Amino acid sequence: MRKISFCFYIILCFLLPACKSDLASDEEKIEVILPSWDYLTNSAAPYPPLSRWKIKVSTAKKISSFYLPAQSSSFTITPKVNSPLSITACPITLLSDGSETQFFKPAGTVYPHSLEVNDDCSSLCLTLSWEEGFTADIIEKLIEGKNLSGTSASEMEKFLMEFNWKKFQQKIISNGEKSSEDSKFYNPWQIDTSTLLDNLSFATFDSNYLKTKYIYSVNLESINLPQSKILSSYIPENDIIEKLGLIFLKKKTPQTFLIDNTYGARLTATSSKKVSADYTYMPIYIEDYAHSE
């Protein structure tokens, strides 16, 4: 599967009569591919069992949510062609006592900017990734806030369509690659989200808004934690924890880690060597029913 531009897809399907997409319709069928939780549970990190997925599909007009069983690998949407939307998939996992919790950050994707097409032009796909979950969540928050800002649905749709979300996401990926070269770790969820959202609300953007600041690299052995299995809510960080025994904390910003799939360690750093820890049982997930806004 390879990424191609949406415009090229349209041209390609006109040239190839065998293409199955119905261009006369103002909607298109898209398969949305979920991350593999089985892959995570079989990895070195001690991931808990998945109970179900909480899915949110956000358009300029509404936010719809629903749940999918743990064994689901994909689902289908039929959006209006080229009408922007974001999708998040949040894993609801089982704690050691069998109760549900919502701890991990969501995977996500953005349509139409992340649209993919099979080589045979037989189907369209969107693949959810943990790295794109932040981007999708930002769009969701912008849509949630449109009523407070007095933004109409048509104005929001115009902004979402014109803004270069692909470049936005590429910058996040680039920041992650650069931090890796510097033996650091880039977690987009540590971005100053308030500043980012405030500026996006006024249609202003600078790539500096996607930088993280005052991040400490902390060796787990330097923290007075029990010899336990620890997980970050941002799944890509857990590879670093497993390999290097390091976590990355934003200055004076509490961050919760899952310990032994039972309780949370709320860590706050004032320096790379001064970290305080508070412990609490993980909150039980209370289902919120599917809705539209």
Side-chain angles (χ1 to χ4, degrees):
M1 188 177 291
R2 65 176 188 272
K3 290 190 176 181
I4 63 173
S5 71
F6 185 78
C7 291
F8 180 71
Y9 164 72
I10 296 295
I11 295 172
L12 184 63
C13 290
F14 269 114
L15 295 176
L16 298 178
C19 181
K20 298 180 181 179
S21 178
D22 180 8
L23 297 178
S25 172
D26 64 348
E27 294 182 343
E28 59 186 349
K29 183 178 179 180
I30 299 173
E31 182 183 16
V32 182
I33 301 172
L34 293 162
S36 171
W37 197 263
D38 287 341
Y39 171 79
L40 293 175
T41 53
N42 292 326
S43 67
Y47 285 94
L50 179 66
S51 176
R52 50 181 169 160
W53 293 99
K54 178 182 179 181
I55 310 297
K56 281 191 177 183
V57 180
S58 303
T59 70
K61 293 182 179 180
K62 67 179 181 179
I63 300 175
S64 301
S65 66
F66 56 92
Y67 295 91
L68 290 175
Q71 64 270 25
S72 301
S73 60
S74 67
F75 61 96
T76 300
I77 60 172
T78 53
K80 182 179 178 181
V81 174
N82 225 30
S83 182
L85 60 83
S86 71
I87 303 171
T88 59
C90 188
I92 308 298
T93 58
L94 296 175
L95 294 168
S96 57
D97 65 359
S99 58
E100 290 184 323
T101 191
Q102 183 178 329
F103 170 71
F104 296 100
K105 298 291 192 295
T109 191
V110 179
Y111 169 85
H113 303 280
S114 295
L115 191 66
E116 300 176 336
V117 60
N118 284 340
D119 289 338
D120 60 2
C121 196
S122 63
S123 63
L124 293 172
C125 300
L126 288 167
T127 302
L128 296 165
S129 72
W130 305 111
E131 291 81 2
E132 200 170 356
F134 177 79
T135 303
D137 184 75
I138 285 295
I139 293 176
E140 187 179 298
K141 285 182 169 60
L142 285 170
I143 293 170
E144 287 175 341
K146 75 177 189 299
N147 292 333
L148 294 176
S149 64
T151 304
S152 67
S154 60
E155 290 172 329
M156 177 59 67
E157 184 168 26
K158 183 175 185 293
F159 168 73
L160 294 177
M161 193 68 249
E162 292 180 350
F163 187 81
N164 194 335
W165 294 106
K166 186 172 184 178
K167 186 176 181 180
F168 184 100
Q169 180 60 29
Q170 286 174 339
K171 183 61 179 177
I172 288 178
I173 297 298
S174 174
N175 285 347
E177 292 172 346
K178 184 178 180 180
S179 69
S180 178
E181 293 172 358
D182 297 334
S183 300
K184 298 179 181 178
F185 181 77
Y186 175 79
N187 181 347
W189 297 92
Q190 293 176 328
I191 290 170
D192 184 347
T193 305
S194 296
T195 298
L196 175 61
L197 288 171
D198 286 346
N199 283 278
L200 287 175
S201 297
F202 291 99
T204 59
F205 176 73
D206 188 297
S207 61
N208 286 326
Y209 299 152
L210 298 181
K211 291 182 178 180
T212 55
K213 300 178 180 178
Y214 309 113
I215 305 299
Y216 297 126
S217 174
V218 179
N219 193 311
L220 281 176
E221 293 182 355
S222 68
I223 309 174
N224 187 25
L225 289 176
Q227 294 297 315
S228 304
K229 297 295 185 180
I230 181 170
L231 286 173
S232 165
S233 60
Y234 181 49
I235 283 176
E237 184 176 7
N238 291 314
D239 288 339
I240 302 296
I241 295 175
E242 183 68 24
K243 293 176 183 177
L244 304 180
L246 297 175
I247 59 174
F248 299 84
L249 302 175
K250 187 172 183 177
K251 184 179 181 180
K252 296 182 180 180
T253 304
Q255 185 173 329
T256 300
F257 291 82
L258 181 62
I259 307 293
D260 287 342
N261 197 30
T262 301
Y263 60 98
R266 188 175 170 89
L267 306 180
T268 305
T270 53
S271 73
S272 61
K273 296 182 179 180
K274 190 174 182 180
V275 180
S276 62
D278 296 315
Y279 301 94
T280 181
Y281 282 105
M282 293 299 297
I284 304 304
Y285 179 70
I286 300 176
E287 180 171 342
D288 57 337
Y289 294 93
H291 66 282
S292 296
E293 295 180 353

